[in-house]
Amino acid sequence: MDRVDKILAQWRKERPDLDTEAMGIMGRLNRLTTHLAREVEQVLQRHGLSSSAFDVLATLRRSGAPYRLSPGDLLSMTMVSSGTMTNRIDQLEKAGLVERVLNPDDRRSVLIALTEVGLVAVEGAAGAHVANQQRLMQAFSAEEKAELDTLLRKFLATFE
Amino acid sequence: MDRVDKILAQWRKERPDLDTEAMGIMGRLNRLTTHLAREVEQVLQRHGLSSSAFDVLATLRRSGAPYRLSPGDLLSMTMVSSGTMTNRIDQLEKAGLVERVLNPDDRRSVLIALTEVGLVAVEGAAGAHVANQQRLMQAFSAEEKAELDTLLRKFLATFE
DNA sequence: ATCATTTATCTTGACGTCAAGATACACGAT
DNA sequence: ATCGTGTATCTTGACGTCAAGATAAATGAT
C-alpha cells in the first residue's frame, strides 16, 4: 500500500466508474522520475553542473573528438526547444565550458565546442553520474533490470 | 536500435569503461516520461487545464465531499514545494476554480475548496484524462501492464 | 499569563522551459 | 546574378518551479 495505492483507493471510492490501472502505472512513473531526477541533480551539483548542463556536455563528449556539434545537432539529440538550447549554450559559454566557433562551411550556423575545462568537467561528472545511476538501481536483479528495459523500450517505441 | 541505443553505442565507443545498463534504463525512463507528459498536457489543455492545475483539482476531488483540503494537505500529496503550491492555488483562485475559505479551527491556515465551476471542470477533465492514459498504454497486454506495475512499484519503494 | 518554539502559509528572486516570431544566410530555379 | 524558399539560430515574453526566508498564529513550558 504505497502512496499511489492510496490515491487509487480514493478514486475508486469517489469514481468507481474510472478504470485506474493505467493511472496507477503513470502515477508511479511520474513519482519515480521526480525522485530520480532529484537524486541525479544532487550528484551533478557536486561537480558544479546542473542536469541540463550535463546533458549538453555529455552529448558533446560522446560524439567523440574534436567534441564539436552544431546547435541543431544538439537540438535533435536532446528533446528541448531551440530557445532552451540557445539558453543552455549561453550559460555554458559564460561558465567557460563550451565556446561558439564559426562554422566556415555555413555562416548561418556555429559549432559548439567543449573547452579544455569543459572536457575535464564532463569527464569527472560522467563517472560519478553513471555510478550514481547504478546505485539508484541496486534494488534490482539482473533479470529485473532486463525485464524493465524490455518493457520501457516497448513503451518508448510508441513515441519514437 | 532506438535513440537510446544510439546514445549507448556512442558511450561504449568513447568510454568503454562505463557500464551503460542503468544509464540505458534511466534514459528510456526520461525520454518516455517527457513524451507522456506532453501527451497528457495536450488532452488537459482541451479542458482548459494545465497538468499542474489538474493535479490540485483532482486531489481535491478525490478527497471526497465537501472537496476541501488545507494547503498543507495538498502539499503532502503532490511533490511540490510550498511556494509552488501557493502559486498554483493563486492561479486556480484567479480562474474561479477554487476559493480560499477561512479555517475556523486554526487561523494560521485556510482551506482550499473546489467551487462549483471547479468541480464541473475536474469531472470533465478526469474522464478524458483517464481515457487518454489508457490510450497511451494500448501497446501493452494485461500481463505486460501487471509486470510493469510490479517493477515500478518496487523501484518507487526505494524512495517512498 | 508570558514567551520561546513550532507550525502553516506566503513572498521573493532566480532559474529552466516553451511557443512564436525575428534575423540572417544558403541554395536552387530561372 | 537575382529572387523566393528553406534552414539555422537567436530573441522575447510568459509560465512553473524551487530554496530560502518572512509573517502570523498556535502550542507548551514555566
Side-chain angles (χ1 to χ4, degrees):
Chain A
M1 187 76 180
D2 66 9
R3 284 165 179 267
V4 173
D5 285 324
K6 284 176 190 141
I7 291 170
L8 299 186
Q10 285 190 309
W11 276 122
R12 276 193 291 267
K13 184 169 179 200
E14 290 292 318
R15 288 286 303 264
D17 59 306
L18 298 179
D19 181 347
T20 57
E21 185 184 37
M23 197 165 80
I25 293 172
M26 301 246 187
R28 289 199 169 88
L29 264 178
N30 279 331
R31 295 190 71 94
L32 174 61
T33 52
T34 301
H35 288 297
L36 288 173
R38 288 174 183 175
E39 296 283 336
V40 164
E41 198 74 42
Q42 279 194 10
V43 167
L44 293 176
Q45 195 178 349
R46 277 178 225 139
H47 291 259
L49 298 175
S50 65
S51 54
S52 310
F54 179 76
D55 190 24
V56 175
L57 298 179
T59 303
L60 289 168
R61 174 60 187 84
R62 72 172 189 263
S63 76
Y67 312 125
R68 297 181 172 200
L69 293 171
S70 70
D73 292 337
L74 287 169
L75 206 48
S76 68
M77 302 180 192
T78 55
M79 297 194 86
V80 298
S81 69
S82 68
T84 297
M85 185 52 70
T86 298
N87 185 45
R88 286 183 176 187
I89 294 166
D90 286 348
Q91 302 314 311
L92 288 169
E93 196 173 31
K94 261 184 220 159
L97 302 176
V98 305
E99 54 190 2
R100 285 180 165 94
V101 302
L102 292 175
N103 183 345
D105 300 336
D106 184 343
R107 265 178 300 179
R108 287 172 305 178
S109 78
V110 290
L111 293 176
I112 310 305
L114 270 185
T115 62
E116 203 44 47
V117 174
L119 179 57
V120 170
V122 71
E123 288 289 12
H129 177 59
V130 170
N132 189 38
Q133 289 181 317
Q134 289 167 352
R135 174 186 71 82
L136 292 167
M137 298 207 66
Q138 268 174 346
F140 290 115
S141 68
E143 290 75 25
E144 286 172 323
K145 281 186 270 196
E147 265 185 69
L148 181 55
D149 195 50
T150 299
L151 289 164
L152 292 177
R153 182 189 297 269
K154 180 165 187 174
F155 206 162
L156 188 55
T158 311
F159 303 104
E160 296 190 342
Chain B
M1 189 74 178
D2 66 10
R3 285 165 178 265
V4 174
D5 285 323
K6 283 177 191 141
I7 291 170
L8 299 185
Q10 285 190 309
W11 276 122
R12 276 192 293 266
K13 184 172 181 199
E14 289 292 319
R15 287 287 302 266
D17 60 305
L18 297 179
D19 181 345
T20 57
E21 184 184 39
M23 200 166 78
I25 293 173
M26 301 244 187
R28 291 199 168 87
L29 265 178
N30 279 332
R31 294 189 71 93
L32 173 62
T33 53
T34 301
H35 288 297
L36 288 173
R38 288 174 184 176
E39 296 282 336
V40 164
E41 199 75 41
Q42 279 195 9
V43 166
L44 293 176
Q45 197 178 347
R46 280 179 224 138
H47 290 258
L49 298 175
S50 63
S51 56
S52 309
F54 180 77
D55 190 25
V56 175
L57 297 180
T59 303
L60 290 168
R61 173 61 185 85
R62 70 173 190 262
S63 76
Y67 311 126
R68 297 181 171 200
L69 292 171
S70 71
D73 292 337
L74 287 169
L75 206 48
S76 68
M77 302 180 192
T78 55
M79 298 193 84
V80 298
S81 70
S82 68
T84 297
M85 186 52 70
T86 298
N87 184 46
R88 287 182 175 189
I89 294 166
D90 286 348
Q91 302 313 313
L92 288 169
E93 196 173 30
K94 262 184 219 160
L97 301 176
V98 305
E99 53 190 2
R100 287 180 164 95
V101 302
L102 292 175
N103 183 344
D105 300 337
D106 184 343
R107 267 177 299 180
R108 285 173 308 179
S109 78
V110 291
L111 293 176
I112 310 305
L114 271 186
T115 61
E116 201 47 44
V117 175
L119 179 58
V120 170
V122 72
E123 289 289 13
H129 176 59
V130 170
N132 189 39
Q133 288 180 316
Q134 288 167 351
R135 175 186 70 83
L136 292 167
M137 298 206 66
Q138 268 173 346
F140 290 116
S141 68
E143 291 72 27
E144 286 172 324
K145 281 186 270 196
E147 264 185 70
L148 182 55
D149 195 50
T150 300
L151 290 164
L152 292 177
R153 182 189 297 271
K154 180 165 186 174
F155 207 162
L156 188 55
T158 311
F159 304 102
E160 296 192 341

